[in-house]
Amino acid sequence: MRSHFIHPGAALLLAPLLAFLGLAYGIPFLGVVKWSFTLPELGLGQYGTLLTDPLVQSVFVRTFRICALVTLASVTAAYVIAYVWVRGTTGQRLAAEYCILVPFWISVLTRAFGWVALLSNQGLINTWLRAIGILDEPLMLVRNEFGVIVGMAHFLIPFAVFPIASAMRNLDERVLLAARGMGGGRARIFWSVFVPMTMPGIIGAALIVFVFALGFFVTPSILGGGRSVMVAELVYLRIFQSPDWGLGAAISITLVVIVGLLSTALYRYLRPAQMVG
């Protein structure tokens, strides 16, 4: 039976890390919790505002909609990359590894401005489409939700690859051989056997991407141009550009609770070791 007790030696090694996390995150977090109940006056007024303010509700709805679309796009692309990485030829695997690793070497800010250069009205895509006569007027590819979704999905795809690839590596090849022996075609085996067997990896990847996407700030700010404000940007506006610290703190706490619930669900489907393939 697996023991849930931590060895005293391991606890001693973890103590400095836990102390650092407590000082760096725990104490400031308690301060934010206090603000949410005491500013501008003691009570649950800010949480009531959060439930009744149409602006705050619209930002939460927009955030969940964008995160859902980013999750769908990221997991779909990651599944293709993971399939090539696990089951492709040597050259295909090498190309997939470049697709996974290179984005980690480029900062979020650089990637966001790179997408602005590609998607803006005077960017490479619109300039090229007008030059060959396909368009008369530029497409609105940035400063809206489309640009935000593209930028966020580009950043999050590599994070979705690892749990999916782990699920593909751990599946029982004998089941695929049995399906092939029963006369199943490649397409039917893929959709009826391969995809269901990798579903835990898909669910884990979707949860990872969704949780990460909820806290995005830089990419929506740059590619959304203030027209696609998400929850993290709303907290920034309430804290730093208006004296409404109490509501900003209440929104932050609500977001932390949502992320905590999703993280708990993530742990049920995926162990940390599976995240690295």
Side-chain angles (χ1 to χ4, degrees), residues 26-226:
I27 294 177
F29 178 73
L30 292 177
V32 175
V33 173
K34 180 183 176 183
W35 290 351
S36 71
F37 291 105
T38 59
L39 296 178
E41 58 186 18
L42 186 64
L44 298 172
Q46 297 299 353
Y47 290 95
T49 302
L50 192 149
L51 294 174
T52 57
D53 189 328
L55 174 62
V56 176
Q57 292 177 356
S58 67
V59 172
F60 268 95
V61 170
R62 181 186 303 117
T63 300
F64 286 121
R65 181 176 65 246
I66 290 176
C67 291
L69 293 172
V70 168
T71 301
L72 178 63
S74 300
V75 172
T76 302
Y79 200 91
V80 176
I81 296 172
Y83 187 88
V84 173
W85 190 24
V86 174
R87 308 182 74 84
T89 63
T90 302
Q92 290 171 338
R93 293 178 184 178
L94 184 62
E97 287 175 1
Y98 274 110
C99 291
I100 297 165
L101 296 177
V102 169
F104 285 115
W105 303 336
I106 305 172
S107 72
V108 178
L109 201 59
T110 302
R111 291 193 228 180
F113 281 115
W115 280 112
V116 171
L118 283 174
L119 301 177
S120 65
N121 290 351
Q122 303 300 324
L124 294 178
I125 293 177
N126 274 315
T127 301
W128 179 71
L129 290 176
R130 284 190 292 176
I132 61 176
I134 294 178
L135 295 177
D136 293 326
E137 297 294 330
L139 294 173
M140 288 296 294
L141 301 176
V142 74
R143 311 297 185 194
N144 52 27
E145 288 189 13
F146 176 80
V148 173
I149 292 169
V150 170
M152 290 175 63
H154 175 231
F155 182 85
L156 291 169
I157 285 172
F159 292 95
V161 169
F162 293 110
I164 295 174
S166 177
M168 289 181 179
R169 288 196 177 99
N170 292 328
L171 63 82
D172 192 343
E173 293 287 342
R174 293 173 297 180
V175 178
L176 299 178
L177 289 173
R180 201 171 296 127
M182 296 294 290
R186 297 185 63 179
R188 185 170 185 183
I189 292 174
F190 178 79
W191 288 111
S192 302
V193 180
F194 191 84
V195 172
M197 289 179 67
T198 56
M199 191 54 69
I202 296 173
I203 295 172
L207 287 170
I208 289 174
V209 171
F210 196 86
V211 168
F212 278 11
L214 282 174
F216 258 59
F217 174 73
V218 173
T219 302
S221 298
I222 295 175
L223 294 174

